[in-house]
Amino acid sequence: MNPLGSARLRDLRLAPLRCPGCGPSLLLRLGGDEMLVRCLRCRATPVHMALLGALDACGIDLARTDAYELSTTGAVLRHLRQRCRSVATSEYLDGVAPGSERDGVRCEDVQRLSFADGSFDLCTSTEVFEHVPDDLAGLRELHRVLRPGGRLLFTVPMSDAATTQVRARIVDGRIEHILPPAYHGDRLNGPESVLVYRDYGLDLVDRVRAAGFAEARLWRPARSHFGHARTVLVAARG
Ligand SMILES: [Zn+2]
């Protein structure tokens, strides 16, 4: 179902917003779902606004930054494209070899990226890693394609639990479900189409450090957007 299709007039709210994506704006709420809260100007969701807020707090000179965003759409990508020296983008496309294109979209599997070592100063992703079968391999790959001192910023659905709960894993090439399967929708594949491999807890920081990052911490926005405030993982390569 299109989330906008579930909007009802009585759920509508509007509030002033200082958007980390586009500056002074208005925040529109069409319903309780996080995806129904948007910056009116740049269409950033609370997820995008959290990531861009964390990026702003890093104080990076984006004009001298080669960035890699793990999607081909959205407010984070638009923000980076307007400010960075260069921006590479990709999607995970079933059956397309990493590094090759389909309909002008570069396909990459974050577990085995086709980019050379030290290609980027900044890597960003929103709501990707919970769907990656081997997240540690993916984090190691992002570490590899970052330059020394390069930053990684990403969001995943996260709880305040101490440890990450594995929901599913790949064993001998097949998916083994440890908990009842949970799915998220995505733009390419539709609603309820992408398996969730794990529910992240606070030990996400340890997982990122285990992948080789010298620094890893959680960044939280100072204020929520109609009750939605996302935690961002901010890491730096040594
Ligand atoms: Zn905005």
Side-chain angles (χ1 to χ4, degrees):
M1 186 177 64
N2 176 355
L4 293 177
S6 63
R8 287 173 305 194
L9 208 57
R10 69 162 188 265
D11 294 326
L12 281 180
R13 306 268 191 287
L14 208 55
L17 170 69
R18 188 153 183 88
C19 176
C22 69
S25 181
L26 288 170
L27 187 65
L28 174 67
R29 177 193 188 271
L30 292 170
D33 189 280
E34 187 179 47
M35 292 297 285
L36 293 175
V37 175
R38 301 265 177 162
C39 167
L40 214 52
R41 284 177 68 201
C42 76
R43 304 200 302 280
T45 65
V47 170
H48 297 142
M49 285 188 265
L51 192 125
L52 292 173
L55 179 63
D56 189 46
C58 288
I60 300 169
D61 180 2
L62 293 179
R64 298 174 63 184
T65 292
D66 296 315
Y68 172 37
E69 154 62 27
L70 274 75
S71 77
T72 57
T73 185
V76 169
L77 178 59
R78 287 193 292 276
H79 184 90
L80 295 175
R81 279 207 167 125
Q82 285 163 9
R83 290 161 180 84
C84 291
R85 181 165 56 197
S86 72
V87 185
T89 66
S90 69
E91 298 278 356
Y92 176 75
L93 303 169
D94 244 344
V96 181
S100 62
E101 291 191 358
R102 188 173 76 192
D103 302 329
V105 173
R106 181 180 181 130
C107 173
E108 291 289 347
D109 177 347
V110 72
Q111 300 165 114
R112 48 189 185 111
L113 293 170
S114 70
F115 298 107
D117 296 0
S119 295
F120 305 109
D121 307 295
L122 171 68
C123 293
T124 58
S125 80
T126 52
E127 315 299 87
V128 169
F129 269 94
E130 72 271 29
H131 304 297
V132 176
D134 186 346
D135 62 340
L136 215 60
L139 291 166
R140 279 195 212 104
E141 276 293 85
L142 290 178
H143 183 270
R144 178 182 70 76
V145 301
L146 278 169
R147 296 173 184 140
R151 310 287 183 108
L152 167 66
L153 279 77
F154 70 92
T155 67
V156 284
M158 245 188 103
S159 75
D160 284 333
T163 54
T164 293
Q165 176 87 61
V166 175
R167 304 191 62 90
R169 61 188 174 188
I170 305 274
V171 180
D172 298 330
R174 301 182 62 156
I175 297 171
E176 179 186 284
H177 294 284
I178 294 151
L179 293 173
Y183 298 89
H184 293 163
D186 87 357
R187 191 178 45 82
L188 294 177
N189 300 295
E192 303 291 303
S193 58
V194 195
L195 182 66
V196 178
Y197 281 89
R198 63 199 75 77
D199 297 328
Y200 284 103
L202 297 173
D203 62 345
L204 174 60
V205 169
D206 305 323
R207 295 171 92 88
V208 172
R209 288 199 188 112
F213 284 88
E215 279 174 44
R217 63 194 165 83
L218 298 175
W219 183 93
R220 292 191 169 89
R223 48 175 302 186
S224 78
H225 299 108
F226 291 122
H228 301 287
R230 281 303 205 92
T231 298
V232 182
L233 190 293
V234 179
R237 189 185 159 149

